[in-house]
Amino acid sequence: MKILPIDKIREADKYTIENEPIASIDLMERAAMQCADWIMNKFNRSYEFHFFCGKGNNGGDGLAIARIMKNNGFNVKIYVINHTDNKSTDFEINLNRLATQEIPVNNIENPEQIKFPSNNAIIIDSILGSGLNKPTDGIIKDIILFLNSLENYKISIDIPSGLFADITNSAEDVIFEANTTLTFQLPKLSFLFSQNYKYVGDFQVLPIGLSEEFIESTHCNNYFVDLQMIKNIYKVRDKFSHKGNYGHTLVISGSYGKMGAAVLSAKACLKSGAGLVSVHCPASGVEIIQNSV
């Protein structure tokens, strides 16, 4: 699976909209449906779902997910954060859809306006999206700090608010701390760094129908190994074959007191399909290798 930089993901959105063709709001609805289905399959109707939405397209995603879940009998509460007077077009469309269906929205300007009746509430973060290029501040920072202080289960939509998709955050940045991140079509590069696990949690990649033609034709430097990639290189073994038919790997590894690397490397080579593995190591490590592999 490719890991595209955020500018290429934007181009994939644009290409899909122009060539499928599909309206931007309908692509958002498709993404929202995928997220809503995932959440509704994981949690039952005994939970409350508290959505925190910014005024950009990530907030629009949250509004759409909340509406879908409300229409399926789930208990949702929606908070829109008044951090700016600017609203994206698709956010406004989804906000109007909530008004048409008489689904209430709470406009908040500080954390004191947030009320949680029980620990049974699931927090949904759709405040800031993947286009973020500066640290959180002001009301958004205050609300993220408050939400992070709660022990409720937390889900981020597309990317945790405050996390950069392609570049590294500083240690002082305030970022939403999700248990699960539901991301669209492709993982973000920042998801794969150990320091970001406390923010991303376990991420789920949800297909939203972005153009496979565009993705396949776009060059990138980073890949995430998934089942599809493994299927493409997997070779079925013939019934009457032997180890000599499947390659010979030489592992040069290990030193006195540090034979673990040699053991792990040899096992990895065998498990990845090498027919024969030879380990070149110090004499002091031969017994360890013979006992371990």
Side-chain angles (χ1 to χ4, degrees):
M1 182 183 296
K2 289 184 175 181
I3 302 174
L4 296 180
I6 198 62
D7 61 323
K8 293 298 181 183
I9 294 177
R10 294 284 180 271
E11 289 180 26
D13 284 343
K14 185 173 183 290
Y15 184 92
T16 303
I17 289 168
E18 292 175 352
N19 290 274
E20 185 169 331
I22 183 173
S24 174
I25 188 65
D26 294 329
L27 183 60
M28 179 177 284
E29 189 75 5
R30 197 154 70 189
M33 184 63 73
Q34 288 286 344
C35 290
D37 284 346
W38 189 93
I39 296 169
M40 291 187 294
N41 285 329
K42 184 173 177 63
F43 301 98
N44 61 41
R45 289 176 177 81
S46 67
Y47 291 91
E48 299 168 355
F49 298 87
H50 293 246
F51 287 80
F52 292 85
C53 306
K55 294 184 175 181
N57 280 351
N58 191 251
D61 292 326
L63 297 181
I65 297 165
R67 169 174 43 80
I68 293 167
M69 292 182 62
K70 178 69 173 179
N71 290 338
N72 280 274
F74 284 78
N75 184 3
V76 305
K77 190 166 188 177
I78 303 167
Y79 298 89
V80 170
I81 302 170
N82 285 326
H83 62 100
T84 178
D85 292 330
N86 297 322
K87 304 172 185 175
S88 75
T89 300
D90 290 345
F91 170 87
E92 285 202 277
I93 291 173
N94 274 306
L95 191 63
N96 291 333
R97 288 175 176 176
L98 292 175
T100 300
Q101 297 183 28
E102 299 183 348
I103 300 174
V105 173
N106 300 281
N107 293 287
I108 59 172
E109 297 180 351
N110 60 69
E112 286 73 29
Q113 295 174 275
I114 302 170
K115 304 296 182 183
F116 285 105
S118 72
N119 292 328
N120 209 33
I122 308 295
I123 297 171
I124 314 288
D125 156 43
S126 61
I127 303 171
L128 299 172
S130 55
L132 185 72
N133 57 14
K134 63 179 182 179
T136 55
D137 58 11
I139 179 179
I140 288 180
K141 179 179 177 179
D142 293 341
I143 287 176
I144 290 175
L145 284 170
F146 173 74
L147 295 177
N148 284 347
S149 72
L150 303 175
E151 295 183 358
N152 302 70
Y153 193 91
K154 302 177 181 72
I155 299 172
S156 282
I157 303 303
D158 198 31
I159 190 170
S161 291
L163 183 67
F164 299 145
D166 298 331
I167 60 177
T168 304
N169 288 80
S170 71
E172 295 77 28
D173 291 349
V174 172
I175 303 168
F176 185 84
E177 298 173 3
N179 299 99
T180 298
T181 297
L182 305 180
T183 198
F184 302 142
Q185 197 73 40
L186 301 169
K188 283 37 171 199
L189 183 62
S190 60
F191 291 2
L192 304 180
F193 294 110
S194 60
Q195 67 266 29
N196 292 334
Y197 179 71
K198 67 179 290 187
Y199 311 120
V200 178
D202 297 317
F203 67 87
Q204 303 287 328
V205 179
L206 303 180
I208 62 169
L210 293 186
S211 170
E212 291 293 343
E213 177 187 3
F214 179 89
I215 294 170
E216 287 299 319
S217 65
T218 301
H219 171 76
C220 74
N221 296 318
N222 302 298
Y223 293 82
F224 184 76
V225 177
D226 60 2
L227 184 60
Q228 186 59 45
M229 180 177 284
I230 297 300
K231 285 181 176 179
N232 289 337
I233 63 174
Y234 174 72
K235 295 180 176 63
V236 177
R237 300 206 166 186
D238 295 333
K239 184 173 183 178
F240 294 103
S241 59
H242 57 83
K243 64 186 179 184
N245 297 123
Y246 300 103
H248 184 185
T249 300
L250 172 62
V251 177
I252 304 173
S253 182
S255 62
Y256 178 76
K258 294 184 174 63
M259 288 302 298
V263 171
L264 291 172
S265 298
K267 286 184 175 181
C269 290
L270 289 170
K271 286 181 179 294
S272 63
L276 175 62
V277 176
S278 298
V279 178
H280 184 84
C281 68
S284 59
V286 170
E287 186 174 352
I288 294 172
I289 289 291
Q290 289 180 327
N291 288 336
S292 301
V293 189

